[in-house]
């Protein structure tokens, strides 16, 4: 069994690396090749041709694209993400710091949304067709489609301006403890909680309904197991497997939503880093930021796939075929 | 796979109907007309579509005209929703603000649906290595958040209305392709497909004349769902400064320009555009949900 899982892991790891490589090509094409002449893009249409050529030389953009790509990837593998044009400094420390901040925000988001979404989905599934199920289903469906900046405005108005319960700013004073940090992150987390809640609740509801109507649940009930045990050991364990995949896939989505939320709350995370780099046409920073987000997503998917297989004995058995 | 109770009812009340498709369509429409969620959604969407088309002809003020002696005025009889930071009438701006998003989003959706349908048909029909390679590329595109891919391309090309529509359309293509591919796979092994091939029809004919007419329900549903996400994405891009450009009264743009004064208590500069965006997105999704249910029944 162990070697089977090992083989699966190896194959899955290979696929992830392939995806990651393709992502790097896409990012490179988007950030380096598509702008055509980076020097011209930075300096504008009125700049002197010699200044553009000099800047391109400084950026290393006067070389053939393949050479630029190889030196970029080579640098990445050694931990060198290139030089920021806007800051005249190496990119890597900025990306590292921003990623850490974003991970804190994503952490707060998931601490709130996972129990809430899974709980709502299971409650809805146990009461299929009753008013509570209808309320949860309609709420999750309509909340999911509201853009983050729209719900953020409503939340700011209610919790920061009118009630004054939560701090408006996402940045905490220097040296603040974890509790103060979390307090500052709740308001920025809520818009993404609202969007993700619907996806997770719907998956958990569908998974639970399927598990409830299955043969093994009927067997467990007929065997005379207490309802609590049936629910926890048989229903939830099977229902939550597909939900984990959704949560992982939504992590990638959450990173996209972070751009909007971090800009709105002026939080210096990876989303804001990508946005500022985009506005400043700081291509090295932009590339590094986007590739980091892609890598994060690929890793999250990989972890989810492994968890799915580990939690589901049937999938484990199928690996043997 | 249509509902069994439906078939049983038909068998007891009338002899086999000569035109079952007609009856099916009538029930689909009937289901939609009896769904309050669908009707509310359709009413909201029609209201904003009407504003997008005609609001410039009946709003009380020019949405672009500033009035520097009357900035940030609270709602009053003269200015129902007050004025913004340079004295523009918020009520007029919100109604006219439907125009850009309701032009770009449908164009982007149309482009994404057409391209996605072509790619999905090719993937599903040919299968094999074509399917494997394109499928891998789709997975790569989807492993970057859509808004970030759009951002990256818009930085390179510069934001303009047609560019935004094309970029969002392209970003949606893999999502539509995935849905269409799944639909094609469920049709491919039905008798009419090999029959057409035996008749000597070419691949293009089989894909577009034989298979496509049979998979329109999932495509219609996918299109409506995509329209909702197109509005979501384009509004977000405008908010970030990479979508609709000033001085348009576009909602995302209006929120970006004014949310800084929210803390000062000038809520009327932001709240109308917020409610407008939320209502439009929810309206489109109620329609999409209604269609999805009607097609499934």
């Amino acid at each position: 069994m162990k070697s089977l899982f090992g083989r699966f892991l190896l194959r899955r790891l290979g696929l992830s690396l392939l995806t990651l490589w393709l992502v790097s090509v896409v990012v490179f094409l988007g950030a380096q090749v598509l702008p055509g002449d980076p020097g011209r893009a930075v300096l504008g249409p009125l700049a002197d041709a010699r200044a553009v050529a000099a800047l391109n030389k400084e950026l290393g953009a006067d070389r053939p694209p393949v050479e630029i790509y190889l030196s970029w990837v080579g640098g990445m593998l050694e931990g060198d993400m290139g030089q920021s044009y806007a800051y005249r400094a190496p990119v890597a420390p900025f990306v590292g710091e921003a990623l850490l901040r974003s991970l804190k925000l994503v952490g707060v988001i998931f601490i709130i949304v996972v129990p809430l979404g899974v709980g709502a989905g299971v409650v809805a599934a146990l009461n299929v067709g009753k008013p509570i199920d209808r309320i949860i289903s309609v709420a999750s469906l309509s909340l999911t489609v509201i853009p983050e900046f729209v719900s953020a405005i409503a939340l700011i108005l209610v919790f920061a301006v009118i009630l004054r319960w939560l701090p408006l700013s996402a940045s905490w004073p220097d040296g603040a403890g974890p509790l103060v940090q979390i307090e500052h992150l709740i308001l920025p987390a809520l818009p993404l909680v609202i969007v993700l809640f619907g996806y997770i609740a719907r998956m958990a509801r569908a998974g639970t309904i399927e598990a409830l109507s299955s043969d093994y649940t009927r067997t467990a009930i007929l065997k005379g197991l207490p309802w609590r045990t049936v629910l926890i050991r048989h229903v939830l364990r099977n229902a939550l497997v597909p939900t984990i995949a959704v949560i992982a896939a939504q992590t990638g989505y959450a990173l996209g939503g972070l751009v909007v939320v971090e800009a709105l709350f002026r939080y210096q995370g990876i989303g804001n880093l990508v946005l500022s780099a985009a506005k400043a046409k700081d291509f090295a920073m932009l590339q590094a930021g986007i590739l980091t987000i892609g890598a994060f997503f690929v890793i999250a998917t990989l972890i989810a796939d492994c968890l799915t297989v580990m939690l589901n004995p049937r999938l484990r058995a199928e690996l043997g075929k | 796979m249509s509902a069994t109770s439906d078939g049983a009812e038909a068998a007891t009340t009338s002899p086999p109907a000569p035109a079952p498709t007609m009856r099916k369509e009538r029930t689909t429409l009937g289901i939609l007309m009896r769904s309050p969620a669908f009707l509310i959604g359709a009413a909201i969407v029609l209201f904003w579509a009407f504003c997008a088309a005609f609001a410039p002809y009946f709003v009380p003020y020019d949405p672009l005209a500033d009035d520097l002696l009357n900035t940030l005025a609270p709602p009053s009889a003269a200015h129902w929703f007050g004025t913004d930071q340079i004295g523009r009438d918020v009520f007029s701006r919100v109604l006219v603000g439907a125009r850009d998003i309701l032009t770009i989003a449908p164009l982007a959706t149309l482009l994404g649906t057409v391209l996605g349908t072509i790619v999905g048909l090719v993937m599903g029909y040919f299968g094999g290595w074509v399917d494997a390679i394109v499928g891998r590329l789709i997975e790569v595109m989807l492993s970057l958040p859509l808004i970030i891919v759009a951002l990256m391309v818009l930085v390179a090309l510069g934001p303009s209305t047609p560019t935004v529509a094309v970029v969002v359309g392209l970003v949606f293509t893999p999502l539509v392709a995935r849905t269409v591919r799944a639909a094609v796979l469920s049709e491919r092994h039905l008798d009419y497909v090999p029959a057409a091939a035996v008749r000597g029809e070419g691949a293009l004919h089989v894909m577009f004349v034989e298979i496509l007419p049979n998979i329109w329900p999932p495509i219609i549903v996918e299109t409506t769902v995509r329209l909702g996400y197109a509005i979501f994405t384009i509004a977000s891009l405008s908010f970030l400064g990479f979508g609709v450009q000033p001085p348009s009264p576009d909602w995302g743009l209006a929120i970006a320009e004014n949310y800084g004064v929210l803390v000062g208590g000038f809520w009327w500069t932001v709240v109308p555009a917020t409610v407008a965006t939320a209502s439009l997105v929810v309206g489109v999704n109620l329609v999409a949900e209604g269609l999805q249910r009607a097609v499934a029944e």
Side-chain angles (χ1 to χ4, degrees):
Chain A
M1 199 57 96
K2 218 172 193 107
S3 71
L4 274 182
F5 186 68
R7 258 211 323 255
F8 160 79
L9 195 65
L10 220 61
R11 209 186 57 212
R12 198 58 197 71
L13 212 61
L15 270 180
S16 298
L17 284 176
L18 182 66
T19 309
L20 201 56
W21 171 67
L22 285 167
V23 169
S24 83
V25 173
V26 169
V27 170
F28 177 76
L29 289 177
Q32 286 278 352
V33 178
L34 213 54
D37 187 342
R40 177 63 68 190
V42 172
L43 296 175
L46 299 177
D48 186 72
R50 275 168 305 178
V52 171
L55 180 59
N56 273 337
K57 198 168 171 55
E58 189 196 325
L59 294 171
D62 56 345
R63 297 168 295 168
V66 177
E67 198 184 318
I68 305 179
Y69 175 76
L70 288 178
S71 76
W72 176 56
V73 169
M76 277 286 183
L77 292 176
E78 291 167 7
D80 173 17
M81 295 181 156
Q83 288 280 321
S84 155
Y85 169 74
Y87 293 95
R88 307 259 167 204
V91 165
F94 289 97
V95 174
E97 221 169 284
L99 185 64
L100 189 68
R101 284 208 196 86
S102 286
L103 286 179
K104 281 183 186 170
L105 183 54
V106 171
V108 173
I109 292 169
F110 279 92
I111 287 172
I112 302 175
V113 80
V114 171
L116 214 62
V118 171
V122 172
V123 167
L126 293 176
N127 296 286
V128 174
K130 292 186 194 156
I132 179 94
D133 175 35
R134 296 288 301 271
I135 291 171
I136 291 175
S137 296
V138 169
S140 60
L141 199 73
S142 7
L143 290 178
T144 297
V145 298
I146 295 184
E148 294 92 358
F149 69 94
V150 171
S151 53
I153 295 291
L155 291 163
I156 289 177
L157 207 57
V158 173
F159 291 108
V161 178
I162 299 175
L163 296 174
R164 297 182 179 277
W165 283 357
L166 291 167
L168 176 63
S169 163
S171 318
W172 49 81
D174 284 334
L179 274 181
V180 178
Q181 294 192 9
I182 289 176
E183 194 194 351
H184 281 266
L185 288 180
I186 290 178
L187 202 51
L190 286 180
L192 278 164
V193 166
I194 287 177
V195 168
L196 295 178
F197 170 79
Y199 287 103
I200 297 179
R202 255 183 293 171
M203 248 0 252
R205 179 180 178 274
T208 311
I209 288 177
E210 202 191 319
L212 278 173
S213 63
S214 68
D215 289 342
Y216 55 76
T217 302
R218 209 185 47 192
T219 310
I221 294 172
L222 291 178
K223 219 159 60 175
L225 287 180
W227 177 233
R228 253 182 95 86
T229 316
V230 175
L231 199 61
I232 294 171
R233 294 268 310 273
H234 295 265
V235 175
L236 288 188
R237 184 171 170 172
N238 283 289
L240 297 186
V241 169
T243 314
I244 290 171
V246 174
I247 292 174
Q250 294 312 317
T251 321
Y253 175 84
L255 289 171
L258 282 183
V259 179
V260 173
V261 171
E262 290 179 353
L264 189 80
F265 289 93
R266 301 203 173 88
Y267 185 64
Q268 298 301 322
I270 194 90
N272 220 343
L273 177 129
V274 166
L275 185 66
S276 334
K279 284 189 169 156
K281 296 193 193 293
D282 189 348
F283 293 111
M285 189 77 96
L286 185 67
Q287 252 175 307
I290 297 179
L291 190 64
T292 308
I293 290 176
F296 188 88
F297 180 76
V298 170
I299 293 170
T301 319
L302 179 67
I303 294 175
D305 282 359
C306 292
L307 277 178
T308 310
V309 170
M310 284 195 290
L311 285 176
N312 191 332
R314 265 163 304 169
L315 283 180
R316 258 198 326 251
E318 244 168 64
L319 287 178
K321 287 178 196 166
Chain B
M1 275 298 284
S2 69
T4 42
S5 62
D6 202 44
E9 198 185 313
T12 52
T13 51
S14 62
T21 50
M22 277 286 289
R23 211 177 54 84
K24 181 87 203 302
E25 266 169 28
R26 214 184 315 141
T27 48
T28 305
L29 199 67
I31 294 165
L32 286 179
M33 285 302 136
R34 266 179 281 117
S35 154
F38 175 83
L39 292 177
I40 293 171
I44 296 172
V45 174
L46 285 178
F47 169 75
W48 286 121
F50 177 79
C51 285
F54 303 113
Y57 306 109
F58 65 78
V59 289
Y61 294 88
D62 175 356
L64 302 183
D66 55 29
D67 178 1
L68 296 176
L69 296 176
N70 195 18
T71 60
L72 291 173
S76 64
H79 296 281
W80 291 356
F81 290 177
T83 62
D84 70 2
Q85 292 178 77
I86 54 172
R88 294 175 297 197
D89 181 54
V90 175
F91 179 70
S92 306
R93 286 178 71 76
V94 166
L95 292 196
V96 180
R99 187 164 254 203
D100 280 322
I101 189 101
L102 279 179
T103 314
I104 305 178
L107 283 177
T109 310
L110 189 68
L111 180 69
T113 309
V114 170
L115 289 180
T117 303
I118 294 171
V119 174
L121 275 171
V122 169
M123 287 173 79
Y125 182 71
F126 289 105
W129 61 269
V130 177
D131 189 30
I133 290 177
V134 181
R136 172 84 4 207
L137 283 177
I138 285 180
E139 197 187 309
V140 170
M141 278 198 73
L142 295 181
S143 66
L144 286 170
L146 295 186
I147 194 124
I148 287 186
V149 176
L151 202 66
M152 186 167 75
V153 180
L154 286 171
V155 173
L157 300 180
S160 72
T161 304
T163 324
V164 174
V166 170
V167 168
V168 174
L170 289 179
V171 169
F172 280 176
T173 302
L175 290 162
V176 178
R178 221 166 41 171
T179 307
V180 173
R181 173 183 175 273
V184 173
L185 285 184
S186 66
E187 290 286 317
R188 231 188 87 174
H189 301 292
L190 297 184
D191 288 342
Y192 73 88
V193 178
V198 168
R199 266 204 324 270
E201 305 286 6
L204 276 179
H205 178 92
V206 178
M207 282 192 281
F208 289 95
V209 183
E210 302 285 341
I211 299 180
L212 187 57
N214 285 301
I215 57 170
W216 68 264
I219 295 181
I220 297 265
V221 171
E222 180 70 17
T223 306
T224 342
V225 173
R226 280 304 126 221
L227 180 62
Y229 281 101
I231 294 170
F232 188 124
T233 310
I234 292 164
S236 298
L237 284 172
S238 298
F239 173 77
L240 293 174
F242 288 91
V244 180
Q245 296 298 308
S248 164
D250 178 74
W251 301 330
L253 198 58
I255 295 173
E257 286 168 346
N258 291 302
Y259 80 89
V261 298
L262 196 60
V263 190
F266 306 107
W267 53 269
W268 58 86
T269 56
V270 181
V271 169
T274 312
V275 174
T277 314
S279 70
L280 179 61
V281 185
V282 170
V284 171
N285 278 279
L286 287 177
V287 171
E289 174 74 1
L291 281 176
Q292 205 157 13
R293 275 172 191 236
V295 165
E297 274 185 46

